[in-house]
Amino acid sequence: MAAPANIETRLFINGEFCESSNGKTFDITNPSTLKLVAKVHEASEQDTDRAVAAAKAAFPSWSALSPDQRAPYFKKLASLIRESNDELAALEAASMGKPLGAFFDAYACASKWDHYAEVGYNVQGTTSVQTPGYINMTLRQPYGVVAAIIPWNVPLLFLANKLAPALIVGNTVVLKSSEKAPLTSAKIATLAQKAGFPPGVINIITGFGNVSGSILSHHMDVRALSFTGSGRTGRLIQAAAAKSNLKQVYLELGGKSPAVIFEDAELEKAVNETAYSIQWNSGQVCMANSRVYVQDTIAEKYIQLFKDHFTNQVAMGDPLHKDTNHGPQADEAQHKTVLRYLEMGKQSGDLIIGGAAPSDREGYYIQPTIFTNTPEDATIMKEEVFGPVVNINVFKTEEEVLAKANNTEYGLYAAVYTKNIDRALRFAKGLEAGTVAVNCTSPALGKDMPFGGYKSSGSGREGEPYYSLNNFLETKSYLAR
Ligand code: NAD
């Protein structure tokens, strides 16, 4: 497929496309070829304020509609997203390096819009007559203006996870996409306009965290903010909310997810799935199994098969080529970060394969890398690398490995492989993680599963309607006598 080029995207505010008020744009470069892909208008403070004001003005009429009246916009948008699958795939490949063959994002995004079109009535309050003389009720009402701030690794999915539930229950939104991968969100803005959403209901701005992101986090008219990204930024957003209007904040943050492979696991399946988990999207995945613990009796075989997988199954190349399954890191900064962790990894553990950027490519590529025997307190065992880098350590007992798996400030995702049902249930219960996968790892979660983190991996859950709708609703106690 030909690489997208010469694109210029604008801000989508109050149903119209506009240039940045201060004339600033930033460039998006293809991380594989280092060629310019797009010029993107950068939201200024004034633009961000305007987007919030547009959302605020649109709120009374949007919130007055019933879910049935809102749903057709969702259905139309979902169908336009499906029709645009190839274009969206090419934009993601060219802007952040996700291979076309690894792109499921548009269909996942469209199916979220379809799903939320159907669940707007699933909002439940309570009634009680326990207080004599009164009928007590709770009413669930939308917040008003909701902000969404998303990362670059799977932008379309996070966009839908936040916007669809917020909108179906009557909120209006301002979304800020990531400065590293703004092109697909900008495309969604054109599709939302085509779908006919009333002006101001959806506003999509492009820009930097320290400008538009920070303004949204501090904004007095934003009543709830849903964020996906790093813990560092999550803390800044939480602090901004505390300093401004105490807006409701939901945080979906990073991970350092363990996979534990017991000796009775189906070995080849465990190898293929754990290797895929850390290699998909070049390891730029919050739930990737970056720490693997394998039982001593099968460790040698497991590590050899994992190495074989990286040697034989990884097709590194141009993300726009159909046979590629391993693209570059998203940008230069991400590439440098991973290279720095690789140097640390070599100081602390044993390098089995990879460990560097390939010498024959100009883009931001990293060889899939395995370390073993890395001390538990090494930086690379503690911090999120966000690259195709796995640490495989060996354990002897269940008790020992549970303590090691939980020895992290993160708690987003974990996997366990064993055929022993008692152990699987016991171990899954003991793992400190918002999601535990048994005899599988990193599949896309079903729409009936909430996603979110224990410990410093975040607060709140999203994805599944019960949790997601509640994230965007106030509760009013209503007394009648
Ligand atoms: P990031 O925190 O650097 O940026 C995320 C977003 O926050 C971007 O849009 C950015 O512009 C914005 N931002 C930056 N500074 C800001 C500020 N001061 N105020 C407001 N907004 C600001 O994260 P990233 O590098 O884009 O994404 C990678 C991180 O996201 C990883 O830690 C990954 O684990 C995490 N992540 C988590 C999930 C999840 O569901 N838990 C999913 C995907 C990614």
Side-chain angles (χ1 to χ4, degrees):
M1 180 177 286
N6 300 321
I7 296 169
E8 182 169 349
T9 70
R10 293 178 170 72
L11 312 169
F12 184 59
I13 299 175
N14 205 24
E16 290 176 351
F17 289 92
C18 55
E19 301 191 346
S20 167
S21 61
N22 61 15
K24 281 195 189 168
T25 60
F26 61 96
D27 292 344
I28 294 294
T29 305
N30 183 323
S32 173
T33 61
L34 311 188
K35 292 197 174 116
L36 182 68
V37 177
K39 275 199 178 312
V40 177
H41 282 264
E42 181 193 334
S44 65
E45 179 172 351
Q46 201 188 338
D47 298 323
T48 312
D49 273 342
R50 222 159 52 73
V52 174
K56 194 174 173 186
F59 176 67
S61 50
W62 181 251
S63 58
L65 300 179
S66 70
D68 269 352
Q69 290 170 314
R70 296 180 197 124
Y73 301 108
F74 284 51
K75 296 271 184 192
K76 178 76 183 155
L77 178 58
S79 108
L80 290 168
I81 292 170
R82 285 196 188 88
E83 281 168 24
S84 307
N85 178 67
D86 292 355
E87 186 186 349
L88 290 162
L91 288 174
E92 217 77 289
S95 61
M96 55 75 70
K98 185 178 290 170
L100 295 180
F103 182 85
F104 67 85
D105 312 31
Y107 283 100
C109 174
S111 92
K112 293 268 173 185
W113 286 97
D114 270 340
H115 186 56
Y116 278 94
E118 305 291 346
V119 300
Y121 286 100
N122 298 5
V123 169
Q124 288 171 350
T126 58
T127 56
S128 162
V129 290
Q130 297 307 311
T131 309
Y134 288 87
I135 299 174
N136 292 342
M137 293 175 261
T138 56
L139 303 187
R140 310 302 314 280
Q141 293 180 308
Y143 277 98
V145 180
V146 166
I149 301 181
I150 57 170
W152 45 269
N153 60 337
V154 198
L156 287 174
L157 186 60
F158 302 126
L159 175 147
N161 266 348
K162 296 179 189 315
L163 264 49
L167 289 164
I168 197 67
V169 292
N171 299 281
T172 53
V173 296
V174 179
L175 175 123
K176 191 199 87 62
S177 57
S178 166
E179 59 276 24
K180 290 184 199 244
L183 302 186
T184 48
S185 301
K187 176 70 190 173
I188 295 291
T190 68
L191 302 181
Q193 192 190 44
K194 265 198 201 158
F197 278 92
V201 169
I202 298 181
N203 304 274
I204 296 184
I205 59 174
T206 39
F208 290 88
N210 60 354
V211 183
S212 41
S214 174
I215 290 163
L216 288 175
S217 321
H218 286 92
H219 209 292
M220 296 300 285
D221 286 336
V222 171
R223 307 304 330 183
L225 191 155
S226 180
F227 171 75
T228 299
S230 66
R232 192 191 66 81
T233 308
R235 285 176 171 82
L236 290 175
I237 289 174
Q238 189 86 273
K243 271 192 227 145
S244 54
N245 61 351
L246 285 172
K247 59 181 64 62
Q248 198 70 44
V249 172
Y250 301 99
L251 302 173
E252 298 287 342
L253 308 176
K256 191 75 192 171
S257 304
V260 175
I261 321 296
F262 284 99
E263 61 188 355
D264 60 348
E266 212 178 298
L267 195 61
E268 287 193 15
K269 175 177 182 304
V271 169
N272 290 338
E273 292 178 357
T274 47
Y276 178 77
S277 163
I278 193 66
Q279 183 257 321
W280 183 79
N281 207 18
S282 302
Q284 302 167 129
V285 187
C286 55
M287 60 196 204
N289 295 137
S290 50
R291 294 182 297 140
V292 174
Y293 295 98
V294 58
Q295 200 153 20
D296 52 358
T297 44
I298 57 163
E300 197 179 326
K301 180 119 193 261
Y302 176 88
I303 292 167
Q304 182 59 48
L305 288 173
F306 209 117
K307 186 178 169 192
D308 293 348
H309 184 103
F310 273 178
T311 309
N312 303 324
Q313 307 288 329
V314 171
M316 190 183 281
D318 179 351
L320 283 152
H321 193 284
K322 65 176 178 41
D323 296 334
T324 298
N325 68 16
H326 192 95
Q329 305 310 118
D331 69 357
E332 187 180 12
Q334 197 58 31
H335 191 239
K336 278 191 178 151
T337 301
V338 179
L339 288 174
R340 209 172 50 242
Y341 278 114
L342 289 179
E343 290 316 306
M344 286 185 218
K346 287 181 213 165
Q347 303 297 319
S348 43
D350 299 333
L351 178 66
I352 301 298
I353 188 172
S359 53
D360 56 346
R361 293 190 179 277
E362 60 171 347
Y364 301 128
Y365 290 84
I366 296 282
Q367 295 166 338
T369 298
I370 304 173
F371 291 113
T372 58
N373 299 320
T374 309
E376 290 296 311
D377 60 356
T379 306
I380 199 165
M381 290 291 282
K382 297 271 176 207
E383 295 181 8
E384 192 179 29
V385 175
F386 232 50
V389 183
V390 64
N391 294 281
I392 305 179
N393 278 353
V394 177
F395 72 92
K396 281 189 192 313
T397 69
E398 183 181 327
E399 193 185 17
E400 168 205 350
V401 75
L402 183 63
K404 285 181 172 167
N406 287 337
N407 181 24
T408 167
E409 202 28 53
Y410 290 111
L412 190 64
Y413 193 91
V416 53
Y417 285 81
T418 175
K419 287 190 189 129
N420 179 330
I421 182 77
D422 289 343
R423 177 158 59 198
L425 293 173
R426 188 170 62 231
F427 202 79
K429 191 170 167 210
L431 284 164
E432 296 165 356
T435 300
V436 176
V438 178
N439 292 326
C440 59
T441 188
S442 301
L445 290 193
K447 294 192 204 75
D448 50 354
M449 297 199 67
F451 189 69
Y454 277 27
K455 305 196 282 190
S456 300
S457 285
S459 59
R461 296 290 181 273
E462 70 178 18
E464 185 277 341
Y466 170 79
Y467 289 89
S468 289
L469 299 181
N470 280 312
N471 286 348
F472 299 112
L473 289 165
E474 286 277 22
T475 300
K476 177 180 285 172
S477 287
Y478 183 96
L479 294 75
R481 139 170 235 175

